[in-house]
Amino acid sequence: MNVPLLTVTAAVPAVGAILTAAVPAARRTAAKWLALLFSLATLALAVLVAIRFEPGGDRYQLTESHAWIPDFGVRYELGVDGIGVALIALTALLIPFVIGAGWNDADPSPDSPLRSSGGGPGETRTGPDSSFAAGRWRPTQGFFALILLVEAMVIISFEATDVFLFYIFFEAMLIPMYFLIGGFGDRAHTGSEENAAAQRSYAAVKFLLYNLVGGLIMLAAVIGLYVVAGNFSLQEIAAARAAGTLDMATNTERLLFLGFFFAFAVKAPLWPLHTWLPNAMGESTAPVAVLITAVVDKVGTFAMLRFCLGLFPDASKWATPVILVLALISIVYGALVAVGQRDIKRLVAYASISHFGFIVLGIFAMTSQGQSGATLYMVNHGISTAALMLVAGFLISRRGSRLIADYGGVQKVAPVLAGTFLIGGLATLSLPGLAPFVSEFLVLVGTFARYPVVGVIATVGIVLAALYTLVLYQRTMTGPVKEEVRTMPDLHLREVLVVAPLIVLLIGLGVYPKPLTEIVNPAVKHTMSDVKQTDPKPEVVVDAKNGEAAK
């Protein structure tokens, strides 16, 4: 029996979302465990996908294809390459940690009649808005159901090889994310609850509007693609282009490329379309912030590789100089603004903008090292940002403040918390020996090979990353112990179980990245073939005296 493995992998978290939402209001703990169980089942299926995938085999594997709306050429068509496999694994890996870290985030506030006993000492609940806690729905069940729903939509986005099918889930994931940001926001505000609710609402609406505008522009491009190609199948369109049977005018291809790229640049996010991210991450709980930047945003950069380069290779090369400039601005601007931040979560948000600049830089450097590095960067950034942001969330929940100035001397009262925070921060600045170093090194090598000046400018982001990371640690963890943090508890067992595996992965993939590169590299070769690019050959200078060649 041929089991549709990709469909099952996406369907399991969707079914889990439905069942979790249906758990009775009084059974909050049961809903949490049910959500965790389904996330672990999805992780097991993602591992099975990786095992079944053959790096040296066909470009798209485990394929499924069924007629859906035949009159419009729409098919339910799935398939994964090495890049998709890596990002499905990342998504499935992070969701159990997101659920574990947010275990108490959606419990009703202490003064709510829905609240019951539970949780550990020193844990501050950052429950949902009063409109939810008033009993109009099951807040805890809804929180975890929405997380699983986002996971299902992200996974099928990585699997879809039908452009219209991809577009549906690319847009649909905005709805659960809107409710996670606006309905379950961060409570660490110095102002009134009304002001905090207004800020959460603003962040959620801004997130939705930015991405909806990008999606609408992409929809026009999707329709235009159908008019030109007659179908939405990525594989059929690519085959027609390779065979020379698809006649796409230069200006048409460029316009369609811009429609797709704009939507992906909003999601990524790339300067100057980035401004929704600091608000969304700052006003979200730490687990939801991880969901945004480590999971959902990766769909944008993934789609640049699969759809922009795969469908519009000539237009991609035409737009490369401008995109490289935008990526450089993202790298330097994001890092500079991060240096000046007073809010911990907004600092991580601006650092992520800088990191996404590196990812886009690697993609459009049009070298195998750059694109392999960009793919590894997506995975490693997801793990490192999850580690740093989740520990930051644990820190903020203890003090009730996101302001850096409200901390000091934490390492003396909570050494495990401080130690994990340091490792997450060092991973963010790509310290050698940790996973992000490998990906950042490959991106820079690939960029230097074709655009040396761009590569030199990009290294400024590395220097600034060291500055904002070490200054953040110095101001929060070292120095005299502030009175407000003197009784701060260290990480509890649940929190250690959330963070420790991420730290192990950061070290393991930093020392031995081969399992990832073996899966990713063949897919990168196919992408390079799509855009008809080869890696630049190193310049060779011949010594006139002895005839030897020196590189």
Side-chain angles (χ1 to χ4, degrees):
M1 181 180 177
N2 188 17
V3 178
L5 185 57
L6 297 185
T7 294
V8 173
T9 304
V12 166
V15 172
I18 296 170
L19 296 179
T20 301
V23 173
R27 304 289 301 276
R28 297 199 313 273
T29 301
K32 297 173 185 178
W33 282 106
L34 185 64
L36 181 61
L37 177 64
F38 271 92
S39 70
L40 291 173
T42 306
L43 176 58
L45 288 168
V47 171
L48 183 58
V49 168
I51 292 172
R52 293 274 301 275
F53 182 81
E54 298 178 8
D58 295 337
R59 180 174 186 176
Y60 294 107
Q61 300 179 32
L62 306 174
T63 55
E64 304 171 31
S65 183
H66 307 282
W68 184 18
I69 313 175
D71 291 342
F72 296 98
V74 180
R75 300 184 63 82
Y76 177 79
E77 198 169 83
L78 306 180
V80 288
D81 59 4
I83 299 170
V85 169
L87 293 176
I88 289 170
L90 171 70
T91 302
L93 172 72
L94 292 181
I95 296 301
F97 299 121
V98 167
I99 291 173
W103 198 254
N104 298 310
D105 283 2
D107 286 353
S109 303
D111 57 349
S112 169
L114 295 178
R115 181 181 183 272
S116 63
S117 61
E123 295 181 351
T124 302
R125 287 177 172 79
T126 54
D129 287 344
S130 58
S131 60
F132 295 105
R136 298 172 191 169
W137 78 318
R138 304 179 181 95
T140 302
Q141 288 84 335
F143 178 73
F144 293 104
L146 290 170
I147 290 174
L148 290 175
L149 189 58
V150 171
E151 179 182 23
M153 293 178 176
V154 169
I155 287 175
I156 203 166
S157 297
F158 292 141
E159 297 172 344
T161 56
D162 182 278
V163 177
F164 192 80
L165 179 67
F166 169 84
Y167 174 79
I168 289 174
F169 289 99
F170 180 80
E171 288 294 281
M173 70 180 70
L174 302 178
I175 304 305
M177 286 306 307
Y178 167 80
F179 286 109
L180 284 169
I181 296 168
F184 299 93
D186 188 14
R187 295 286 173 158
H189 278 271
T190 56
S192 64
E193 175 57 30
E194 290 76 12
N195 180 64
Q199 290 295 323
R200 289 193 289 272
S201 178
Y202 172 78
V205 171
K206 189 174 183 179
F207 162 82
L208 187 63
L209 289 179
Y210 266 64
N211 284 275
L212 280 179
V213 170
L216 288 173
I217 293 174
M218 180 181 171
L219 177 60
V222 169
I223 295 171
L225 179 65
Y226 176 75
V227 171
V228 173
N231 65 80
F232 294 106
S233 172
L234 176 66
Q235 297 181 69
E236 290 183 16
I237 295 172
R241 287 189 66 92
T245 58
L246 177 59
D247 184 20
M248 189 181 297
T250 299
N251 288 337
T252 300
E253 181 180 350
R254 290 176 179 180
L255 286 173
L256 294 178
F257 167 84
L258 291 174
F260 276 74
F261 180 79
F262 184 87
F264 303 152
V266 172
K267 184 87 79 179
L270 184 69
W271 185 94
L273 305 172
H274 67 285
T275 59
W276 62 267
L277 182 66
N279 296 99
M281 288 184 65
E283 300 304 325
S284 301
T285 62
V288 173
V290 169
L291 196 62
I292 294 170
T293 190
V295 176
V296 172
D297 288 354
K298 298 300 186 297
V299 178
T301 47
F302 163 80
M304 290 179 189
L305 277 167
R306 173 167 285 189
F307 296 104
C308 286
L309 272 60
L311 293 172
F312 316 110
D314 294 333
S316 297
K317 289 185 284 187
W318 163 76
T320 288
V322 174
I323 295 173
L324 291 179
V325 171
L326 296 179
L328 282 178
I329 295 174
S330 290
I331 291 169
V332 178
Y333 168 82
L336 277 173
V337 178
V339 171
Q341 287 301 302
R342 296 181 297 172
D343 183 307
I344 296 173
K345 291 168 75 174
R346 289 179 70 90
L347 185 151
V348 178
Y350 279 106
S352 290
I353 292 169
S354 181
H355 294 314
F356 275 104
F358 275 107
I359 295 172
V360 175
L361 185 69
I363 292 172
F364 285 90
M366 300 293 182
T367 60
S368 58
Q369 300 98 325
Q371 292 184 357
S372 293
T375 304
L376 293 182
Y377 215 128
M378 294 184 221
V379 175
N380 295 333
H381 171 263
I383 299 171
S384 62
T385 299
L388 180 62
M389 179 58 83
L390 293 180
V391 177
F394 298 149
L395 177 70
I396 292 168
S397 70
R398 285 158 165 75
R399 175 66 176 83
S401 173
R402 305 196 317 239
L403 298 179
I404 297 172
D406 288 340
Y407 296 89
V410 173
Q411 66 180 12
K412 297 177 182 178
V413 297
V416 177
L417 188 155
T420 53
F421 191 81
L422 177 62
I423 295 174
L426 293 176
T428 299
L429 64 82
S430 300
L431 184 76
L434 298 177
F437 170 77
V438 179
S439 46
E440 193 161 277
F441 177 78
L442 285 173
V443 166
L444 290 174
V445 167
T447 305
F448 272 116
R450 196 179 295 279
Y451 304 103
V453 174
V454 174
V456 170
I457 298 173
T459 57
V460 174
I462 300 175
V463 178
L464 293 174
L467 180 61
Y468 63 68
T469 300
L470 297 177
V471 169
L472 172 64
Y473 184 84
Q474 180 188 37
R475 292 178 178 176
T476 55
M477 301 296 164
T478 65
V481 180
K482 290 201 171 184
E483 191 62 34
E484 294 83 359
V485 303
R486 193 171 296 278
T487 59
M488 179 180 291
D490 211 336
L491 294 184
H492 306 300
L493 177 61
R494 171 180 61 84
E495 296 165 334
V496 171
L497 291 176
V498 166
V499 177
L502 298 174
I503 301 298
V504 171
L505 281 171
L506 287 173
I507 297 172
L509 292 176
V511 174
Y512 190 68
K514 186 179 179 181
L516 264 180
T517 57
E518 284 185 338
I519 292 176
V520 165
N521 286 342
V524 168
K525 289 181 180 178
H526 286 296
T527 304
M528 290 286 290
S529 176
D530 288 340
V531 293
K532 297 180 175 61
Q533 291 278 30
T534 57
D535 290 330
K537 294 181 180 180
E539 295 183 2
V540 178
V541 179
V542 178
D543 190 325
K545 291 184 178 180
N546 52 32
E548 294 180 353
K551 294 183 179 180

